[in-house]
Amino acid sequence: MKQIINTLIIGFFLLLGRVSGFFREITVANNFGASLEADAAILLLTLPDIMVVILLSGGFSLVVIPLILRNPKDNYTSLFFKYTKLVFLIFSLLAILTYFLQDYLFKLLAPGIDFSSLKYFDIGFILICLSILIVSLSSVVLAFLSSKEKFITSYSGTLIFNISIIVSIIMSSDESILFSVCIGVLVGSILKLSFQLLEIFPLIDFKKRNLILIIDEDFKSKFFTAVFFISSLSLITVISKSASSNLGEGSLAMFHYASRLIEIPLAITLIPALLAFFPNLSKQFPESNLEDKQKIFNYGFRLTLLISILFCLICSFLSRELIDLIYGFGDFNEDQFSTISYSLSFLAFSLPAIGVVTFLQFLLSSNLDTKLLFFPSLISLAIHIFLSFTLSSYIGLYGVIFSFIFTFYFLSFYLIMITIKTYKLSLISFLRSSRSLLVPILILILGLIIIQLTVSGMFSSLVLTFLACILSLYSFLYLDDEISSSLPKKVKRALRI
């Protein structure tokens, strides 16, 4: 029950963060549309997160949270100071290098775009480099707060960050709007870190900052492989944007607008659940026998597929309605609207693969088996680099999208085989347990087809789609005895299952 409450807390604040992210994207779209300035604004907005995620963020949490739980409670402070100092030194150097090597960086991230003509871009980039250091420290504090299940302050940071950017853009003049974006990023990063520090200071015992730590000899390699894996997932998107930038002004922005929408469904449903259960999973999964490991695998995989396939179908069938709802007031022409809409409908098919990859990275990391993630991520990156730049030269933006989808499916199947082989799990057992997915998926497909053929209004389509999802989920709970039996009794009575 505690994990369910934590899931709801994380989901609520991530939802607020994503809703504020919607308004941030709408604000950017209204002011920049799909233009050179839009490409620059998106690059500046996302650069701190890109740098930190590639070199630290998710991989840090996946390894450090199990490490914290395996150390005595007194070592919490020692671990916190050890990694905070290390991250501060590394990212201070990285921020300096980023500023002085910015020309080379832009050639990698956006090779088809020249930002030299934009006003205040150089001055604003100094603020972005400072933000890289602050965001890195925030990621460290986030991991330590999550290990203590302090989720409210941890996951409300995105809301604070986005509000800061929105306010900065709204209050700026037309000439300095790009510089205002940079101010918003820096102020948002500072406020986010400040609130996290207020939450973690009561947990820190400064007298115990130098205690002896229990760290595996191969911890460094586990940490490196976890960070590399999370980095590769982020780099798939970065490479896609880089390839898109070669396709003309605004192409990077259009890919960004569509890809942002497919990130949201799993970010407010699957990821909160995994984050809430991860500390408990890190304690239980390593000690489980084969039968229990199979149950955990089947249970998690089934829920992951259900959530991701439902959102895949919704985003694909209702891509135009969603784009009109979110970006309807943006500075776009009809061709750009159509391109973003079609991009979303195709990118939606990557959601099941992304969901599976996300679930398996948490499962493997709970047992600190992060070394298994290295080669799949390395091969996936190589495939995506080759396909995205090759196909984009023939079929444009849709070539980048095809490469994106194919890469995630390749990675998901690779990880499934590795997980089954490592823990000696049964693929047949999993397939049998997944039969309960067929009816809910068919119900939603049939409902969406009927809605598309009979309903014309955007609002009506969205409401009826929501009702179809409720019916689909109810049928799943009714048919899947294992998952329905794990629900609290009050919930089962309310649903009459």
Side-chain angles (χ1 to χ4, degrees), residues 394-437:
Y394 291 99
I395 52 177
L397 189 60
Y398 298 112
V400 177
I401 292 170
F402 174 82
S403 176
F404 183 90
I405 297 169
F406 178 83
T407 301
F408 269 107
Y409 274 98
F410 171 82
L411 182 57
S412 64
F413 282 114
Y414 201 146
L415 290 180
I416 290 170
M417 294 300 104
I418 286 176
T419 304
I420 289 173
K421 182 179 180 181
T422 300
Y423 301 122
K424 300 178 181 178
L425 304 175
S426 170
L427 182 60
I428 295 175
S429 172
F430 160 69
L431 292 174
R432 286 175 179 171
S433 70
S434 300
R435 289 179 295 182
S436 58
L437 293 171

Side-chain angles (χ1 to χ4, degrees), residues 307-360:
I307 293 169
S308 56
I309 291 174
L310 291 185
F311 282 119
C312 164
L313 294 171
I314 293 168
C315 291
S316 182
F317 274 87
L318 300 178
S319 61
R320 182 65 195 217
E321 288 83 352
L322 292 171
I323 293 299
D324 286 340
L325 178 66
I326 304 303
Y327 301 123
F329 298 100
D331 185 17
F332 303 109
N333 57 43
E334 180 57 33
D335 288 340
Q336 291 170 334
F337 261 122
S338 297
T339 300
I340 298 171
S341 175
Y342 284 126
S343 298
L344 174 61
S345 64
F346 293 133
L347 282 170
F349 287 100
S350 66
L351 280 171
I354 293 172
V356 169
V357 169
T358 304
F359 167 67
L360 292 179

Side-chain angles (χ1 to χ4, degrees), residues 42-89:
I42 288 166
L43 181 63
L44 293 172
L45 280 171
T46 56
L47 184 61
D49 278 336
I50 289 172
M51 299 294 285
V52 173
V53 169
I54 287 174
L55 297 171
L56 178 70
S57 195
F60 184 81
S61 296
L62 289 177
V63 177
V64 170
I65 289 177
L67 179 66
I68 292 170
L69 296 173
R70 295 180 187 188
N71 266 270
K73 292 182 180 179
D74 290 343
N75 285 353
Y76 184 83
T77 299
S78 296
L79 286 166
F80 177 75
F81 278 102
K82 176 184 176 68
Y83 289 109
T84 301
K85 287 188 285 188
L86 181 63
V87 167
F88 178 81
L89 292 172

Side-chain angles (χ1 to χ4, degrees), residues 21 33 41 129 164 238 251 258 302 361 363 380 433 437 474 481:
C129 292
S164 174
V238 172
S251 295
R302 213 152 61 245
Q361 80 182 43
L363 189 69
S380 298
S433 70
L437 293 171
Y474 184 83
D481 293 332

